[in-house]
């Protein structure tokens, strides 16, 4: 088991979906997610005529992304609650990356499909979807609409691990996540314009086995911000904004 | 518009669903939620034979709880993502209230149905569901399994309101929630055993219009904890543990 | 057990759903139904351009309205046959209350949600929905479209009860309904214009344990008409047409 | 247009579904329904171990049974409210034909599929389903369980037709049904044991365009009973109980 | 068991669905299918404005068409894979019968509902649907659009039957189909204009128990073409093109 | 446009899904499919107790596998007819590869998810699924159950291409498939035991724009068999049976 305050190794391979305006295969340790950004020149009906764009997301798992095969949601005829919750989070997070008014009446759909799952799939999806989104905007000459960089990481408290400072751990693998007493996801943003400090887009912290103190909450937040800063460097290289 | 660091007036009426083991109508300003706790002597299949209990929740809105009528989910044939997300949060939060091993193989289902919606329905549901849960456990002589008191409140940042300290506002009405730049839900717990400090069960903070700083995050958390402490007093009176 | 030719005590509380154009909580003994009338300035597509209005209804039960918890229809993803049958009856009955041409292109949706069920929920729904409907029409200055008062009551034959004349019983509780040999629902109407006799909107009579004679059928009808007359007095007070 | 107190011509052809324990093609004027009775040696789970049988029904329309093609319910993925209401009525009515205890743990499913629709399909279904049911019981040596003959007919009030006594009309065609002010379905039964009077299994009367008086209700009931008596003669011939 | 290279006896009864533009009850041995053609003066949205027509098909089985009762697809809420596959085949095959441009913006829906199933229902459906289609086009004066005659037959290899040349068998009954090592469906067409050779519209050959050689494939194809030629004679008589 | 009787370049990358018993990413030109084989020690209920195994398949497309984004089937809540048809074909084809009795009560599920679609996805899925299946059997010491090698290829007739002999073309790209007059899929098998001739598992040939002759049918079959032989060489290398 990796015990540290660093995230797992990250690889971002672009151009993997040939038809997509932008795509990226994220490999974060053994968590692999295929992200694509599809750009269409129309927005949902409830947004028409406002001159603004929209960003939405859909998330899925290949049936054998997991240790044992999971039922295919298309075959079951409905998406699980967990799926819906995750795709709402991805959509909400990535809307912070873009000036929707600068997009014009354009919709971007971010599809995140998990090929291999080993913890942190929603955070890896956000990190990869930002790359796909940035590439799609470039491909269509819409870079000016990209106002923030967005990345996400998980962070938690693992009890009974002497090697961890206050039990804090960044970027949990499946086994670690399973045993964690407190489990958080942090989505952070950074203006694309230049040097600046990261701020918080979304911070979700949940006591799984126990509740946690105000002090622990802030320590988790701080570690997550540090983790996101590192992921953002890799993102910039992948889209050659670096 | 109320601009303050106090929550709206809270009334907790018990016994409103005649057949339920425990029930409570929460009125938090113009947000009214009917909460019931149903106790069954069997657990879901995946939990059988472990000697432990389970707590789950379902959430719904009456079609005319809202300004304009919303489609009935039973008629549409599927629950919205928002509904599923909320009922997962309620279930997760209330499981922190109970020692599941002390319950035995018993399932408690917490139904929260919104009669009138004016912001903060998920938090009001958690606060009311705890009362229904506590009454159901009393009615069946299972008080020993109730180890924590759990309540929830929303908190946010409203910009352009000179009356607010740093824009902070507790327990947002629908209109306030709609205009908020940052929007949080805090679920807190307190051991039933005696005097102690509140701790965090779940803290969900989302930048709606903008991201927010680490300093703002901790100020929001602090205001939420203060708000939950006040709600817990009312809960104790309602179940006469006070 | 009440054995009589009178209905249970009736209370009609109005204004319970804050956003609805009209609303009413019916309490008929231990049967409690929340009724609301939602008025929208558009009709279903198949009715457009005819200058006429439309009235429809949806019916539901809170999961713990019943002795043991029932599955939530929204969660199961489909409405039961019983639900569909009841809401079709409510809609059909209340359309008799209104001159649809005098409404203009307006749709009224009558939502009836059962909070506590102890027999007769469909009849209580109709009685309460009429109050909500009348209030909604008043609130929008459309009283002229309200041409009939409509109320409903159940009536049946209970065998082996010496206190009952020919076994006849009005407004059956759940236990009585369960044991009844013949089970009827009567919807009656009375012109709003002035003194007149009640007439029949719908009479549904079903032999549950045995078939019944022509004589029994007419006795059931007569008792039901008498019962509806009493309910209509309470309705008039509630909407202050009295 | 036929204006009379007699039903349309009735033909009952048996044995049309080769695999069914009993089957009957009913032709009532231009309304044609294919009825089959399927007998299985098991009852629904909730009835097991009681030593009693069960009777249920399913109803459908071929897409081109109607003037213009209707959507196939299997393709739409859900049965309409009208379908569910009708199949509940058929099942309830035919359960009155049988002594369920004398059946043993046997389930009979009555499928009624409309080939051509010209009004009165639910009544024709009941009349034909009784024939299929009787044949299936004979085929399996279970005649003793058949205690009542059951048939059904529609009856209504048509205004503005001088040829009709009080506007009364039996067995309405589609066009008549469409114009009727009052619309009823009567299901009647007669003990198989010998001469006796018909009694009522179900009487559903609905004011479509106007409400109706107590006097009209009884006249409708009387005409319906007379109509059912004639249909029962044809049924007896078809199953050779004559 | 019939062992031969001839198909079962074929009867084509027309006009069985009174409202349909064309209809035909096919009886091929104990396989009976009710086929109707419904003509509407509009095409699906994706085809509008091109001046061309469209042909589609829906297939179903009455629940008791089979040895034991099958669940009704409308009640289950979804069509089986087999159903979808068959109706796609029927639609595709019959589109070869018609010059869609000569139709104008007209849609023909071919409904095929199996009354009795004894093998070969998809082929019997195609053969009967062509008759219904031809009659509908005649009824509307669109014969010029009918450019090909289309019929279908099953063919297979049955092992261990000394009476069969190379095991080849035409038009398999259910029991034969069940035991077949190789199972094929052949759809053939013939120009309506005059004498000509049959050609292949669709040839689907599947090794059920074993794979098969190139030589067997061509023998199967030849036998199927011979079988279709005979069926086409009967079709021509039924529509009086003969 | 490639005009030839050779298939596109084929690459088979194994081990791409970390948790699967066997997996393979097929790249056939710009058609890329991720195939996995999941082995479970239980069979579907209807097969239990027979001591035999079962093989089934599910097929899906990532939303942006296509030129424009397709709706996600999990979000729509049902699989399309095309999807169901394809996964039935894959399952049927791969069951020919295995001696189900030698498997024991084991189920293999073959998931084929299309990452990039450029024609021939069902054939590429079969070719790749065989590799995943063979690897899974090896990983569990069940090689003896693998009795046949199975591969598939598309073949068609393209009119107006002077470079093509009789218009014949192997392994059609999307654009070619779209323009083809005749469109076939051939699944072939070869015993694993040693040198032998390919035989046919399934041959589906469809006239899209026109029907075709017996001579064309056999030429298509011959070209397809030649194409499958080449694909099988690549399969053997990938699983090192070579």
């Amino acid at each position: 088991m990796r015990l540290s305050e660093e995230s797992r190794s990250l690889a971002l391979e672009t151009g993997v979906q040939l038809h997509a305006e932008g795509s990226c295969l994220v490999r974060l340790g053994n968590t692999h997610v295929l992200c694509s950004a599809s750009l269409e020149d129309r927005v949902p009906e409830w947004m028409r005529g406002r001159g603004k764009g929209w960003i939405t997301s859909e998330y899925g798992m290949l049936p054998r992304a997991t240790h044992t095969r999971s039922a295919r949601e298309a075959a079951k005829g409905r998406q699980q609650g967990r799926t819906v919750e995750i795709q709402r989070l991805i959509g909400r997070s990535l809307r912070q990356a873009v000036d929707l008014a600068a997009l014009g009446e354009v919709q971007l759909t971010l599809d995140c499909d998990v090929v291999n799952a080993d913890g942190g799939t929603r955070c890896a999806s956000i990190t990869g979807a930002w790359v796909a989104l940035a590439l799609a905007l470039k491909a269509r000459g819409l870079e000016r609409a990209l106002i923030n960089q967005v990345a996400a990481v998980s962070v938690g408290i693992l009890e009974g691990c002497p090697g961890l400072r206050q039990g804090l751990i960044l970027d949990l693998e499946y086994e670690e996540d399973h045993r964690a007493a407190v489990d958080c996801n942090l989505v952070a943003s950074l203006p694309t314009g230049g040097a600046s400090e990261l701020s918080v887009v979304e911070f979700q912290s949940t006591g799984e086995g126990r509740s946690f103190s105000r002090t622990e909450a802030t320590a988790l937040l701080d570690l997550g911000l540090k983790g996101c800063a590192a992921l953002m460097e890799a993102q910039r290289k992948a889209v050659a904004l670096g």
Side-chain angles (χ1 to χ4, degrees), chain A residues 87-105:
Chain A
Q87 65 196 17
R88 282 161 57 89
L89 170 65
I90 302 172
R92 211 159 58 222
S93 298
L94 273 298
R95 283 194 288 277
Q96 295 291 340
V98 172
D99 175 354
L100 297 174
L103 265 188
E105 294 216 353

Side-chain angles (χ1 to χ4, degrees), chain A residues 32-33 58-66 70-74 80 82-83 86 112-119 121 174:
Chain A
H32 301 172
V33 187
E58 289 187 6
Y59 170 94
M61 289 252 238
L62 295 192
R64 198 52 196 280
T66 44
S70 313
R72 188 177 285 264
E73 291 186 326
Q80 290 179 281
R82 178 185 171 276
T83 297
I86 292 176
C112 300
D113 287 89
V114 179
V115 174
N116 290 298
D118 188 28
T121 64
Y174 178 78

Side-chain angles (χ1 to χ4, degrees), chain A residues 138-199:
Chain A
K138 270 178 97 166
R140 291 282 290 255
L142 288 164
E143 297 93 329
R144 67 181 179 287
L146 190 72
I147 53 173
N148 285 307
Q149 195 175 347
V150 171
V153 76
S154 71
V155 52
I157 299 179
L158 254 184
E159 296 185 326
C161 295
L164 298 179
R165 185 178 51 91
Q166 298 169 310
L168 293 170
I169 176 163
L170 187 74
D171 185 24
L172 293 77
E173 292 175 11
Y174 178 78
E175 269 309 311
E176 293 161 348
D177 182 272
H178 194 67
R179 295 192 303 112
V182 180
D183 188 11
C184 311
N185 293 297
L186 176 74
V187 186
S189 76
L190 184 69
T192 50
S196 171
E197 215 168 311
L198 271 69
S199 56

Side-chain angles (χ1 to χ4, degrees), chain A residues 31-94:
Chain A
T31 289
H32 301 172
V33 187
L34 205 44
C35 304
S36 71
S38 293
L39 195 151
E40 291 166 293
D41 288 313
R42 56 182 187 75
V43 287
E45 201 171 339
W46 58 269
M47 279 202 64
R48 283 183 201 149
R50 302 192 203 167
K52 290 177 59 178
W54 186 243
I55 292 176
T56 187
S57 174
E58 289 187 6
Y59 170 94
M61 289 252 238
L62 295 192
R64 198 52 196 280
T66 44
H67 278 83
T68 56
R69 187 177 180 273
S70 313
R72 188 177 285 264
E73 291 186 326
K76 287 191 302 180
R78 67 167 53 201
Q79 293 180 303
Q80 290 179 281
R82 178 185 171 276
T83 297
V84 174
E85 203 169 297
I86 292 176
Q87 65 196 17
R88 282 161 57 89
L89 170 65
I90 302 172
R92 211 159 58 222
S93 298
L94 273 298

